[in-house]
Amino acid sequence: MKLAVRVTESVTGCKQLLLVVVLCLLTGVTSAQPETAVSMADQRAKAVTQVVLGILSYARWPVEPAQLRLCVVGPTQYTDDLVKGSTQASGRPVTVQRLLAGNPAIASDCDAVYIGKLTADERGRLFASLIGQPILSISEGSDPCTVGSLFCLRVSDDQVSFEVNLDSVARSGVRIHPSVLQLSRRKPAAP
């Protein structure tokens, strides 16, 4: 009788040990996946920050601000790195603040606007408030780059590119260096 009990305990112990090992492996796999997703999101955020700072560095306002004021409007996916604030390659500091789309201070307190997801009404009101103001606008969404925004980002897993709305650039009062306009025409390399 004792022998049968010991064998049963041994089998039960092995099963428990096997269960613990399987659970540990599964926990390791599931915890590794979010890290990969987080690092990809971080990489995209850093790439977007580089592109946005690059665009801003090639823009000229009628009166150059000593400190560039970038306003983030609407929910965004890629601004985690950008909202920390930074300095352009020229040494000019960039301050970043989040504002609601309907905030009237956008027209007076922002030199550039980074636009996230907005409803069509919010977007229309925002662009109506920017008419006649020298404010550079960059849209994060995948909307067609036809209404209001000067620049529209295209974010993929392997690169960040952008389109330029030449009509909006001409109306904005902000001058954009021709090199940036040429970059927007460059097609991404085929994989």
Side-chain angles (χ1 to χ4, degrees):
M1 209 47 147
K2 284 186 175 180
L3 181 59
V5 171
R6 285 187 188 155
V7 171
T8 305
E9 287 175 357
S10 176
V11 170
T12 304
C14 287
K15 285 182 180 179
Q16 287 176 341
L17 179 63
L18 184 59
L19 181 62
V20 169
V21 169
V22 168
L23 286 175
C24 287
L25 288 174
L26 288 175
T27 305
V29 169
T30 57
S31 66
Q33 288 173 345
E35 288 177 22
T36 304
V38 168
S39 66
M40 285 298 288
D42 286 344
Q43 289 174 0
R44 285 188 206 109
K46 287 182 187 321
V48 165
T49 297
Q50 287 179 336
V51 169
V52 168
L53 291 176
I55 289 170
L56 295 175
S57 70
Y58 284 99
R60 297 293 172 259
W61 284 261
V63 176
E64 280 297 317
Q67 182 171 0
L68 194 64
R69 301 167 299 168
L70 174 64
C71 298
V72 177
V73 179
T76 58
Q77 287 184 307
Y78 306 111
T79 56
D80 291 348
D81 193 51
L82 192 60
V83 295
K84 296 173 187 171
S86 10
T87 303
Q88 292 180 299
S90 65
R92 176 170 48 185
V94 178
T95 59
V96 181
Q97 64 177 325
R98 284 193 174 272
L99 295 176
L100 295 174
N103 191 328
I106 292 173
S108 60
D109 293 354
C110 306
D111 301 305
V113 180
Y114 184 100
I115 304 163
K117 253 194 189 332
L118 298 177
T119 66
D121 276 349
E122 289 172 324
R123 201 173 192 74
R125 284 192 301 270
L126 173 65
F127 287 127
S129 74
L130 299 181
I131 291 174
Q133 303 294 326
I135 298 176
L136 185 147
S137 57
I138 301 171
S139 288
E140 177 182 271
S142 58
D143 301 333
C145 200
T146 55
V147 180
S149 290
L150 277 64
F151 294 89
C152 301
L153 299 180
R154 302 291 175 245
V155 181
S156 66
D157 285 343
D158 55 346
Q159 76 174 31
V160 177
S161 60
F162 58 90
E163 292 179 40
V164 178
N165 182 329
L166 295 175
D167 186 48
S168 294
V169 169
R171 294 174 195 222
S172 72
V174 178
R175 291 181 301 138
I176 306 297
H177 194 280
S179 297
V180 175
L181 303 178
Q182 290 297 333
L183 282 175
S184 71
R185 293 183 184 164
R186 194 184 315 166
K187 299 291 182 213

